[in-house]
Short mmCIF file of all heavy atoms in Angstrom, two decimals:
data_model
loop_
_atom_site.label_atom_id
_atom_site.label_comp_id
_atom_site.label_asym_id
_atom_site.label_seq_id
_atom_site.Cartn_x
_atom_site.Cartn_y
_atom_site.Cartn_z
N THR A 93 -50.66 13.36 14.56
CA THR A 93 -51.14 12.09 15.23
C THR A 93 -50.32 10.92 14.75
O THR A 93 -49.92 10.78 13.56
CB THR A 93 -52.61 11.71 15.05
OG1 THR A 93 -52.82 11.80 13.58
CG2 THR A 93 -53.63 12.54 15.83
N LEU A 94 -50.01 10.00 15.71
CA LEU A 94 -49.09 8.82 15.42
C LEU A 94 -49.95 7.85 14.56
O LEU A 94 -50.98 7.42 15.01
CB LEU A 94 -48.58 8.29 16.62
CG LEU A 94 -47.66 7.11 16.61
CD1 LEU A 94 -46.28 7.49 15.90
CD2 LEU A 94 -47.41 6.40 17.81
N ASN A 95 -49.28 7.41 13.48
CA ASN A 95 -49.90 6.33 12.63
C ASN A 95 -49.31 5.05 12.86
O ASN A 95 -50.09 3.93 12.97
CB ASN A 95 -49.95 6.81 11.13
CG ASN A 95 -50.74 5.85 10.34
OD1 ASN A 95 -51.70 5.45 10.75
ND2 ASN A 95 -50.41 5.86 8.99
N LYS A 96 -48.02 5.05 13.01
CA LYS A 96 -47.23 3.73 13.16
C LYS A 96 -45.92 3.98 13.78
O LYS A 96 -45.15 4.87 13.38
CB LYS A 96 -47.11 3.09 11.82
CG LYS A 96 -46.39 1.86 11.74
CD LYS A 96 -47.27 0.66 11.98
CE LYS A 96 -46.38 -0.65 12.03
NZ LYS A 96 -47.23 -1.86 12.28
N ALA A 97 -45.55 3.22 14.77
CA ALA A 97 -44.22 3.28 15.47
C ALA A 97 -43.45 1.95 15.27
O ALA A 97 -43.98 0.95 15.52
CB ALA A 97 -44.31 3.65 16.88
N TYR A 98 -42.23 2.08 14.90
CA TYR A 98 -41.33 0.96 14.82
C TYR A 98 -40.18 1.06 15.90
O TYR A 98 -39.48 2.18 15.84
CB TYR A 98 -40.65 0.84 13.35
CG TYR A 98 -41.69 0.76 12.37
CD1 TYR A 98 -42.01 1.84 11.46
CD2 TYR A 98 -42.23 -0.53 12.02
CE1 TYR A 98 -42.79 1.66 10.40
CE2 TYR A 98 -43.07 -0.60 10.89
CZ TYR A 98 -43.37 0.39 10.19
OH TYR A 98 -44.25 0.18 9.10
N SER A 99 -39.93 -0.02 16.65
CA SER A 99 -38.87 -0.01 17.48
C SER A 99 -37.57 -0.24 16.69
O SER A 99 -37.69 -1.09 15.76
CB SER A 99 -38.97 -1.14 18.58
OG SER A 99 -37.86 -1.33 19.26
N LEU A 100 -36.53 0.41 17.09
CA LEU A 100 -35.31 0.19 16.34
C LEU A 100 -34.29 -0.79 17.20
O LEU A 100 -33.26 -0.96 16.82
CB LEU A 100 -34.50 1.50 16.10
CG LEU A 100 -35.25 2.48 15.10
CD1 LEU A 100 -34.63 3.91 15.13
CD2 LEU A 100 -35.54 2.00 13.81
N ASP A 101 -34.90 -1.29 18.17
CA ASP A 101 -34.21 -2.30 19.08
C ASP A 101 -33.47 -3.39 18.32
O ASP A 101 -32.39 -3.76 18.58
CB ASP A 101 -35.19 -2.92 20.07
CG ASP A 101 -35.21 -2.30 21.44
OD1 ASP A 101 -34.67 -1.28 21.48
OD2 ASP A 101 -35.77 -2.78 22.36
N PHE A 102 -34.13 -3.95 17.35
CA PHE A 102 -33.60 -5.13 16.62
C PHE A 102 -32.22 -4.66 15.84
O PHE A 102 -31.32 -5.49 15.77
CB PHE A 102 -34.54 -5.77 15.67
CG PHE A 102 -34.78 -5.00 14.32
CD1 PHE A 102 -34.13 -5.41 13.18
CD2 PHE A 102 -35.75 -4.04 14.32
CE1 PHE A 102 -34.27 -4.88 11.91
CE2 PHE A 102 -35.83 -3.27 13.04
CZ PHE A 102 -35.18 -3.76 11.92
N ILE A 103 -32.32 -3.45 15.53
CA ILE A 103 -30.98 -2.93 14.76
C ILE A 103 -29.79 -2.77 15.91
O ILE A 103 -28.82 -3.28 15.91
CB ILE A 103 -31.20 -1.54 14.02
CG1 ILE A 103 -32.24 -1.85 12.91
CG2 ILE A 103 -29.87 -1.03 13.56
CD1 ILE A 103 -32.58 -0.59 12.11
N ASN A 104 -30.30 -1.93 16.91
CA ASN A 104 -29.23 -1.67 18.07
C ASN A 104 -28.68 -2.90 18.53
O ASN A 104 -27.57 -3.05 18.97
CB ASN A 104 -29.97 -0.78 19.09
CG ASN A 104 -30.24 0.65 18.58
OD1 ASN A 104 -29.50 1.18 17.75
ND2 ASN A 104 -31.37 1.29 18.82
N LYS A 105 -29.49 -3.83 18.83
CA LYS A 105 -29.21 -5.12 19.58
C LYS A 105 -28.38 -6.04 18.61
O LYS A 105 -27.40 -6.70 19.16
CB LYS A 105 -30.38 -5.81 20.21
CG LYS A 105 -30.87 -5.07 21.36
CD LYS A 105 -31.87 -5.82 22.20
CE LYS A 105 -32.36 -5.08 23.36
NZ LYS A 105 -33.64 -5.14 23.64
N THR A 106 -28.83 -6.30 17.48
CA THR A 106 -28.34 -7.19 16.62
C THR A 106 -27.12 -6.75 15.79
O THR A 106 -26.07 -7.47 15.58
CB THR A 106 -29.40 -7.75 15.62
OG1 THR A 106 -30.58 -7.84 16.14
CG2 THR A 106 -28.99 -9.16 14.83
N TYR A 107 -27.21 -5.50 15.21
CA TYR A 107 -26.12 -5.10 14.29
C TYR A 107 -25.22 -4.11 14.91
O TYR A 107 -24.01 -3.95 14.26
CB TYR A 107 -26.77 -4.61 13.00
CG TYR A 107 -27.81 -5.47 12.41
CD1 TYR A 107 -29.20 -5.12 12.35
CD2 TYR A 107 -27.44 -6.71 11.79
CE1 TYR A 107 -30.12 -6.09 11.78
CE2 TYR A 107 -28.27 -7.74 11.11
CZ TYR A 107 -29.58 -7.31 11.25
OH TYR A 107 -30.49 -8.08 10.68
N GLY A 108 -25.68 -3.37 15.82
CA GLY A 108 -24.77 -2.17 16.23
C GLY A 108 -25.74 -1.01 16.41
O GLY A 108 -26.82 -0.96 15.87
N SER A 109 -25.16 0.12 17.07
CA SER A 109 -25.98 1.28 17.39
C SER A 109 -26.28 2.04 16.14
O SER A 109 -25.53 2.39 15.29
CB SER A 109 -25.11 2.11 18.37
OG SER A 109 -25.87 3.11 18.94
N TYR A 110 -27.60 2.36 16.05
CA TYR A 110 -28.17 3.25 14.96
C TYR A 110 -28.15 4.70 15.64
O TYR A 110 -28.96 4.80 16.55
CB TYR A 110 -29.54 2.66 14.50
CG TYR A 110 -30.16 3.44 13.41
CD1 TYR A 110 -29.59 4.43 12.61
CD2 TYR A 110 -31.50 3.07 13.00
CE1 TYR A 110 -30.18 4.97 11.58
CE2 TYR A 110 -32.12 3.71 11.99
CZ TYR A 110 -31.48 4.67 11.29
OH TYR A 110 -32.18 5.25 10.08
N ARG A 111 -27.35 5.65 14.98
CA ARG A 111 -27.14 6.86 15.80
C ARG A 111 -27.40 8.09 14.80
O ARG A 111 -27.18 8.06 13.60
CB ARG A 111 -25.69 6.97 16.27
CG ARG A 111 -25.41 5.76 17.19
CD ARG A 111 -24.00 5.79 17.81
NE ARG A 111 -24.00 6.75 18.96
CZ ARG A 111 -24.43 6.52 20.13
NH1 ARG A 111 -24.80 5.33 20.53
NH2 ARG A 111 -24.28 7.39 21.13
N GLY A 112 -27.79 9.20 15.52
CA GLY A 112 -28.02 10.42 14.89
C GLY A 112 -26.80 11.44 14.99
O GLY A 112 -26.34 11.44 16.26
N ILE A 113 -26.25 11.90 14.05
CA ILE A 113 -25.07 12.71 14.11
C ILE A 113 -25.17 13.99 13.20
O ILE A 113 -25.64 13.68 12.06
CB ILE A 113 -23.74 11.92 14.02
CG1 ILE A 113 -22.52 12.70 14.24
CG2 ILE A 113 -23.66 11.28 12.60
CD1 ILE A 113 -21.20 11.90 14.36
N ALA A 114 -24.61 14.99 13.50
CA ALA A 114 -24.44 16.15 12.52
C ALA A 114 -23.31 15.81 11.65
O ALA A 114 -22.31 15.46 11.95
CB ALA A 114 -24.34 17.38 13.42
N ARG A 115 -23.72 16.20 10.37
CA ARG A 115 -22.60 15.88 9.37
C ARG A 115 -21.23 16.60 9.62
O ARG A 115 -20.20 15.94 9.57
CB ARG A 115 -23.08 16.41 7.97
CG ARG A 115 -22.11 16.24 6.91
CD ARG A 115 -22.38 16.95 5.61
NE ARG A 115 -21.34 17.10 4.85
CZ ARG A 115 -20.97 16.37 3.70
NH1 ARG A 115 -21.67 15.39 3.38
NH2 ARG A 115 -19.81 16.76 3.12
N GLN A 116 -21.27 17.89 10.18
CA GLN A 116 -20.03 18.45 10.51
C GLN A 116 -19.30 17.59 11.55
O GLN A 116 -18.07 17.59 11.48
CB GLN A 116 -20.40 19.80 11.18
CG GLN A 116 -20.74 20.77 10.03
CD GLN A 116 -21.31 22.14 10.59
OE1 GLN A 116 -22.01 22.16 11.53
NE2 GLN A 116 -20.90 23.26 9.92
N GLU A 117 -19.94 17.17 12.50
CA GLU A 117 -19.28 16.38 13.64
C GLU A 117 -18.59 15.06 12.98
O GLU A 117 -17.39 14.79 13.25
CB GLU A 117 -20.22 15.84 14.66
CG GLU A 117 -21.05 16.96 15.40
CD GLU A 117 -20.18 17.61 16.47
OE1 GLU A 117 -19.01 17.25 16.71
OE2 GLU A 117 -20.71 18.46 17.18
N LEU A 118 -19.31 14.46 12.15
CA LEU A 118 -18.75 13.23 11.50
C LEU A 118 -17.61 13.50 10.62
O LEU A 118 -16.55 12.81 10.64
CB LEU A 118 -19.86 12.49 10.56
CG LEU A 118 -19.46 11.25 9.84
CD1 LEU A 118 -18.96 10.19 10.83
CD2 LEU A 118 -20.56 10.65 9.07
N ILE A 119 -17.65 14.64 9.89
CA ILE A 119 -16.40 14.99 9.09
C ILE A 119 -15.26 15.35 10.14
O ILE A 119 -14.19 14.85 9.79
CB ILE A 119 -16.90 16.19 8.28
CG1 ILE A 119 -17.89 15.89 7.17
CG2 ILE A 119 -15.59 16.89 7.62
CD1 ILE A 119 -17.43 15.17 5.85
N ASP A 120 -15.52 16.04 11.16
CA ASP A 120 -14.42 16.26 11.99
C ASP A 120 -13.87 14.96 12.73
O ASP A 120 -12.61 14.95 12.89
CB ASP A 120 -14.84 17.24 13.20
CG ASP A 120 -15.04 18.58 12.68
OD1 ASP A 120 -14.47 18.94 11.67
OD2 ASP A 120 -15.72 19.53 13.40
N ILE A 121 -14.74 14.02 12.86
CA ILE A 121 -14.25 12.80 13.48
C ILE A 121 -13.35 12.11 12.55
O ILE A 121 -12.16 11.59 12.76
CB ILE A 121 -15.35 11.89 13.95
CG1 ILE A 121 -16.10 12.48 15.15
CG2 ILE A 121 -15.06 10.56 14.17
CD1 ILE A 121 -17.44 11.93 15.52
N LEU A 122 -13.73 12.06 11.30
CA LEU A 122 -12.87 11.40 10.31
C LEU A 122 -11.65 12.16 10.01
O LEU A 122 -10.58 11.63 9.92
CB LEU A 122 -13.64 11.39 9.01
CG LEU A 122 -14.86 10.27 8.93
CD1 LEU A 122 -15.75 10.64 7.71
CD2 LEU A 122 -14.29 8.93 8.94
N LEU A 123 -11.69 13.58 10.12
CA LEU A 123 -10.49 14.36 9.86
C LEU A 123 -9.41 14.08 10.93
O LEU A 123 -8.22 14.17 10.81
CB LEU A 123 -10.87 15.94 9.98
CG LEU A 123 -11.44 16.37 8.51
CD1 LEU A 123 -11.97 17.82 8.74
CD2 LEU A 123 -10.47 16.40 7.35
N SER A 124 -9.91 13.73 12.14
CA SER A 124 -8.88 13.47 13.33
C SER A 124 -7.96 12.41 13.05
O SER A 124 -6.87 12.27 13.63
CB SER A 124 -9.79 13.22 14.55
OG SER A 124 -10.39 11.94 14.48
N LYS A 125 -8.35 11.55 11.96
CA LYS A 125 -7.42 10.36 11.64
C LYS A 125 -6.47 10.83 10.57
O LYS A 125 -5.73 10.07 9.99
CB LYS A 125 -8.24 9.18 11.17
CG LYS A 125 -8.82 8.49 12.28
CD LYS A 125 -7.75 7.58 13.00
CE LYS A 125 -8.22 7.17 14.39
NZ LYS A 125 -7.30 6.45 15.23
N LEU A 126 -6.61 12.10 10.05
CA LEU A 126 -5.93 12.50 8.83
C LEU A 126 -4.86 13.61 9.04
O LEU A 126 -4.73 14.30 7.99
CB LEU A 126 -6.88 12.81 7.72
CG LEU A 126 -7.76 11.57 7.30
CD1 LEU A 126 -9.01 11.97 6.44
CD2 LEU A 126 -6.84 10.76 6.33
N ASN A 127 -4.34 13.77 10.24
CA ASN A 127 -3.53 14.94 10.57
C ASN A 127 -2.61 15.41 9.50
O ASN A 127 -2.68 16.54 9.02
CB ASN A 127 -2.69 14.64 11.85
CG ASN A 127 -3.74 14.59 13.04
OD1 ASN A 127 -4.78 15.10 12.87
ND2 ASN A 127 -3.31 14.02 14.13
N LYS A 128 -1.73 14.42 9.05
CA LYS A 128 -0.69 15.03 8.03
C LYS A 128 -1.09 14.66 6.61
O LYS A 128 -0.30 14.90 5.75
CB LYS A 128 0.58 14.37 8.35
CG LYS A 128 1.11 14.91 9.67
CD LYS A 128 2.53 14.42 9.95
CE LYS A 128 2.89 14.83 11.36
NZ LYS A 128 3.59 13.79 12.13
N THR A 129 -2.23 14.20 6.36
CA THR A 129 -2.74 13.90 4.97
C THR A 129 -2.75 15.16 4.23
O THR A 129 -3.23 16.17 4.73
CB THR A 129 -3.99 13.15 4.92
OG1 THR A 129 -3.88 12.00 5.75
CG2 THR A 129 -4.40 12.84 3.58
N ARG A 130 -2.33 15.07 3.04
CA ARG A 130 -2.35 16.36 2.12
C ARG A 130 -3.70 16.62 1.70
O ARG A 130 -4.33 15.78 0.76
CB ARG A 130 -1.36 16.12 1.02
CG ARG A 130 -1.06 17.35 0.35
CD ARG A 130 0.29 17.19 -0.54
NE ARG A 130 0.35 18.22 -1.50
CZ ARG A 130 0.28 18.10 -2.67
NH1 ARG A 130 0.27 16.92 -3.41
NH2 ARG A 130 0.45 19.21 -3.59
N ILE A 131 -4.46 17.64 2.16
CA ILE A 131 -5.75 18.12 1.47
C ILE A 131 -5.49 19.32 0.81
O ILE A 131 -5.11 20.27 1.39
CB ILE A 131 -6.75 18.22 2.52
CG1 ILE A 131 -6.99 16.85 3.36
CG2 ILE A 131 -8.20 18.53 1.87
CD1 ILE A 131 -8.19 16.92 4.43
N ILE A 132 -5.77 19.41 -0.50
CA ILE A 132 -5.61 20.56 -1.32
C ILE A 132 -7.05 21.24 -1.36
O ILE A 132 -7.96 20.59 -2.17
CB ILE A 132 -5.07 20.22 -2.67
CG1 ILE A 132 -3.75 19.46 -2.65
CG2 ILE A 132 -4.83 21.58 -3.42
CD1 ILE A 132 -3.29 18.75 -3.74
N PHE A 133 -7.19 22.23 -0.68
CA PHE A 133 -8.63 22.88 -0.70
C PHE A 133 -8.70 23.83 -1.86
O PHE A 133 -7.68 24.42 -2.28
CB PHE A 133 -8.71 23.63 0.61
CG PHE A 133 -9.04 22.69 1.77
CD1 PHE A 133 -7.97 22.40 2.71
CD2 PHE A 133 -10.22 22.07 2.03
CE1 PHE A 133 -8.24 21.59 3.74
CE2 PHE A 133 -10.47 21.17 3.06
CZ PHE A 133 -9.42 21.10 4.00
N GLY A 134 -9.96 24.14 -2.17
CA GLY A 134 -10.20 25.15 -3.19
C GLY A 134 -9.84 24.94 -4.55
O GLY A 134 -9.49 25.81 -5.47
N ASN A 135 -9.67 23.60 -4.92
CA ASN A 135 -9.17 23.20 -6.21
C ASN A 135 -10.05 21.95 -6.71
O ASN A 135 -10.58 21.29 -5.99
CB ASN A 135 -7.69 22.94 -6.18
CG ASN A 135 -6.97 24.28 -6.34
OD1 ASN A 135 -6.88 24.90 -7.40
ND2 ASN A 135 -6.28 24.60 -5.28
N THR A 136 -9.86 21.81 -8.03
CA THR A 136 -10.58 20.70 -8.60
C THR A 136 -9.65 20.05 -9.65
O THR A 136 -8.60 20.55 -9.90
CB THR A 136 -11.83 21.15 -9.35
OG1 THR A 136 -11.49 22.13 -10.32
CG2 THR A 136 -12.96 21.76 -8.47
#
Side-chain angles (χ1 to χ4, degrees):
T93 49
L94 181 65
N95 192 26
K96 177 87 186 182
Y98 297 102
S99 168
L100 299 174
D101 262 11
F102 78 97
I103 297 179
N104 292 321
K105 287 195 179 135
T106 316
Y107 305 113
S109 192
Y110 183 6
R111 306 185 75 84
I113 186 165
R115 180 192 155 95
Q116 284 172 319
E117 301 277 7
L118 179 58
I119 293 281
D120 282 342
I121 289 169
L122 290 167
L123 283 172
S124 71
K125 283 284 162 186
L126 292 166
N127 289 341
K128 288 184 189 137
T129 301
R130 199 167 158 236
I131 303 185
I132 306 166
F133 287 103
N135 279 293
T136 56

